[in-house]
Amino acid sequence: MHKCFPARGVMEGLLSRCRALPALTTCGRQLSGYVPHRFYHCGPERGKRLVLSRMFQPQNLREDQVLSPEGRSGDLSCKSQRLMLQVGLIHPASPGCYHLLPYTVRAIEKLERVIDQEMQAIGGQKVNMPSLSPAELWRATKRWDLMGKELLRLRDRHGKEYCLGPTHEEAITALVASQQTLSYKQLPFLLYQVTRKFRDEPRPRFGLLRGREFYMKDMYTFDSSPEAALETYSLVCGAYSSLFHRLGLQCIRVQADVGSIGGTTSHEFQLPAEVGEDRFAVCPGCGFSANMETLHSSQTSCPACRGPLTESRGIEVGHTFYLGTKYSSIFSAQFTNAHGKPCLAEMGCYGLGVTRILAAGIEVLSTEDSVRWPSLLAPYHVCLIPPKKGSREEAATELTGGLYDLITEAVPQLRGEVLLDDRTHLTIGNRLKDANKFGYPFVIIAGKRALEDPAHFEVRCQNTGEVVFLTREGVTEFLSQVQVI
């Protein structure tokens, strides 16, 4: 859809159309005013341009050249894995382990900033615990044996046993227990980290959706009473819902089994997807939802209202647990109450699969041949495409460089977010195909109309498919509305 409007009309018209498309919330959220705090990504040194030819991005843009870690293209069993390998977002290292390449690292850093905002908005404090976890902590909770082969275990040169932590309930509870003068006035504590986790998956698959090494946000809370702990539980679940809303991901909170982590209450945040390994049921009538594991195998009616249940498949991207005193009683994580008596802390734990959220978002938002990113997480928001060298439009090449400089000066939040595709030996069409596959939210092309007076640039909104032509000033006015993290 090609249009040419005055800058103000284009900006208002295109933004309203982006926001009006419910299936394209990514674009709409990028152009909305909702950001609780502004955290701009640091850009390159002023005067230097980010150019595509300098990017380390091993690409396999032909699908038949993409191989799984086992070396067989037929093992690529989901869209996100295939696309992330194709465009050079990840590269296989060993089964279940991937090199995260520059574009992916940028996206994960942005996701971590969104997580930090949401967790710190409810009082979260960030920590960082060792990946090596002593076996005696896990033996104290009996999970050294309970976790079985899932734990990656090792011994140091002195024969001391460790595991590479898949989660940190033992470690955080022992840490809090070591502070022996805690008062009820200091609680609640909401302590969280974003670190690598390890799990010896028997059958790693689906790329970053199920691997042996992954990034996770895990929060652990300590309250002075069951009532306060449940209030904290509700608070964290609300922050999770806010997070997924900002990312444009329609996640569903469902009742879940407590599994090996334990506790009395548990919920999963499921992102509906055909490749999802979980099955959950939702009642359209009353809103009840639960993982199918918690229901009877033959159950077809809602336990709350007796209405029919609708079954779906989903990807688990978050999990919450109310633990009570399961861990605090083992490690004596205590505080002094208002009467001066020692009491056990009431605990909760809350996980977010960071790399899984990114891959799951790509899975549900992308087309079959082009990456589309969760809102706010695109590694670069704008890609500029100058004319091909030797073409009739080559005179507009300098105009493209000037537009790059103007955008980074006039739109401060986009410094470090604009990429110049300087591969001018390729046609505009070939570079546009690449830009579409990489999923930059906005692509700006200096084509034939860049030679007009005044010059007009072709601006493409990748998430809606709309195309408009804007002057330099129109481009900067339009892009000034783009939100970044």
Side-chain angles (χ1 to χ4, degrees):
M1 188 173 181
H2 298 258
K3 299 183 181 180
C4 181
F5 297 129
R8 175 65 64 180
V10 167
M11 183 178 73
E12 294 177 352
L14 182 55
L15 299 195
S16 64
R17 284 190 291 278
C18 285
R19 292 171 183 147
L21 294 171
L24 298 168
T25 53
T26 296
C27 186
R29 296 192 192 287
Q30 283 178 269
L31 299 168
S32 71
Y34 173 69
V35 167
H37 308 285
R38 286 183 179 269
F39 287 86
Y40 297 139
H41 183 73
C42 295
E45 186 178 332
R46 187 168 298 183
K48 293 185 178 179
R49 296 172 184 165
L50 287 167
V51 293
L52 188 57
S53 64
R54 299 290 302 275
M55 294 293 162
F56 179 71
Q57 194 172 29
Q59 298 165 20
N60 296 285
L61 295 180
R62 278 181 51 194
E63 185 173 340
D64 60 358
Q65 294 177 335
V66 181
L67 297 178
S68 72
E70 291 73 32
R72 300 184 301 274
S73 59
D75 292 333
L76 300 175
S77 48
C78 72
K79 178 170 54 178
S80 57
Q81 181 184 16
R82 173 172 52 80
L83 287 174
M84 294 182 82
L85 287 166
Q86 259 186 305
V87 304
L89 302 180
I90 59 176
H91 191 77
S94 62
C97 297
Y98 289 86
H99 300 287
L100 305 182
L101 300 180
Y103 275 43
T104 300
V105 170
R106 281 179 64 91
I108 287 176
E109 287 174 345
K110 291 181 178 184
L111 177 52
E112 186 171 349
R113 284 197 287 275
V114 181
I115 290 171
D116 285 342
Q117 289 179 8
E118 296 295 341
M119 294 301 100
Q120 292 172 20
I122 60 172
Q125 301 179 66
K126 201 170 189 179
V127 298
N128 196 312
M129 291 178 277
S131 294
L132 277 177
S133 188
E136 57 263 27
L137 293 181
W138 291 77
R139 287 197 171 102
T141 60
K142 297 183 172 26
R143 292 210 296 173
W144 185 259
D145 297 320
L146 182 63
M147 296 287 283
K149 294 181 178 180
E150 192 171 296
L151 281 183
L152 280 166
R153 307 161 197 253
L154 63 156
R155 293 177 183 266
D156 67 12
R157 67 182 65 193
H158 305 293
K160 186 176 176 62
E161 291 183 291
Y162 296 87
C163 68
L164 291 173
T167 183
H168 280 74
E169 285 80 14
E170 284 84 356
I172 193 69
T173 312
L175 172 63
V176 171
S178 68
Q179 314 304 304
Q180 298 179 359
T181 58
L182 292 180
S183 165
Y184 73 97
K185 296 179 181 179
Q186 296 174 267
L187 302 181
F189 284 142
L190 290 79
L191 307 175
Y192 79 98
Q193 61 178 352
V194 179
T195 58
R196 288 180 184 266
K197 298 293 191 293
F198 304 86
R199 187 171 291 133
D200 194 357
E201 287 284 352
R203 191 179 168 217
R205 57 178 180 160
F206 297 151
L208 298 188
L209 290 179
R210 180 166 294 282
R212 288 176 170 162
E213 183 175 357
F214 50 93
Y215 278 96
M216 188 170 85
K217 187 284 303 179
D218 43 326
M219 172 178 271
Y220 306 92
T221 61
F222 298 81
D223 276 277
S224 58
S225 69
E227 296 77 17
L230 289 174
E231 286 182 14
T232 298
Y233 188 93
S234 178
L235 191 68
V236 179
C237 287
Y240 277 22
S241 296
S242 174
L243 170 79
F244 293 123
H245 178 75
R246 291 177 65 188
L247 298 179
L249 300 177
Q250 306 300 313
C251 293
I252 299 172
R253 178 186 170 192
V254 305
Q255 294 180 14
D257 193 285
V258 298
S260 64
I261 288 179
T264 58
T265 301
S266 175
H267 290 87
E268 295 167 346
F269 286 78
Q270 293 280 351
L271 182 61
E274 292 181 4
V275 302
E277 297 185 277
D278 291 312
R279 293 165 48 243
F280 65 92
V282 176
C283 175
C286 70
F288 169 85
S289 57
N291 190 303
M292 293 298 292
E293 293 178 349
T294 68
L295 302 175
H296 298 298
S297 59
S298 60
Q299 187 167 349
T300 58
S301 60
C302 175
C305 73
R306 301 303 175 189
L309 292 172
T310 301
E311 187 177 332
S312 300
R313 301 193 75 87
I315 301 170
E316 179 194 326
V317 288
H319 208 150
T320 61
F321 300 83
Y322 169 49
L323 301 173
T325 60
K326 174 180 177 178
Y327 293 90
S328 57
S329 61
I330 293 171
F331 295 100
S332 297
Q334 298 179 333
F335 65 94
T336 302
N337 68 12
H339 305 290
K341 294 183 178 179
C343 296
L344 292 173
E346 295 280 337
M347 291 179 58
C349 67
Y350 310 84
L352 285 173
V354 177
T355 38
R356 183 179 286 186
I357 289 171
L358 181 64
I362 291 174
E363 180 70 34
V364 301
L365 297 174
S366 298
T367 67
E368 283 301 318
D369 58 1
S370 299
V371 172
R372 292 296 179 264
W373 300 88
S375 183
L376 300 175
L377 303 188
Y380 297 95
H381 278 76
V382 181
C383 178
L384 293 179
I385 301 180
K388 181 183 179 182
K389 186 176 182 180
S391 68
R392 282 180 287 184
E393 296 84 22
E394 185 177 9
T397 300
E398 286 303 314
L399 294 177
T400 315
L403 180 61
Y404 182 106
D405 297 338
L406 178 64
I407 293 171
T408 55
E409 286 294 327
V411 190
Q413 72 264 33
L414 289 181
R415 290 174 189 162
E417 294 289 335
V418 183
L419 192 63
L420 181 67
D421 190 342
D422 60 331
R423 302 173 301 161
T424 53
H425 61 286
L426 299 175
T427 66
I428 286 177
N430 283 333
R431 284 176 286 162
L432 181 58
K433 286 180 182 178
D434 285 355
N436 184 54
K437 188 172 283 286
F438 295 151
Y440 309 107
F442 303 98
V443 178
I444 301 174
I445 301 168
K448 294 178 182 178
R449 298 200 57 186
L451 299 176
E452 295 178 357
D453 188 15
H456 282 73
F457 297 89
E458 183 179 336
V459 180
R460 291 175 170 261
C461 178
Q462 298 281 71
N463 294 320
T464 64
E466 288 205 67
V467 180
V468 294
F469 289 86
L470 300 175
T471 63
R472 281 164 43 100
E473 294 73 19
V475 169
T476 56
E477 185 176 4
F478 174 72
L479 294 178
S480 67
Q481 304 301 307
V482 175
Q483 298 288 346
V484 300
I485 188 71

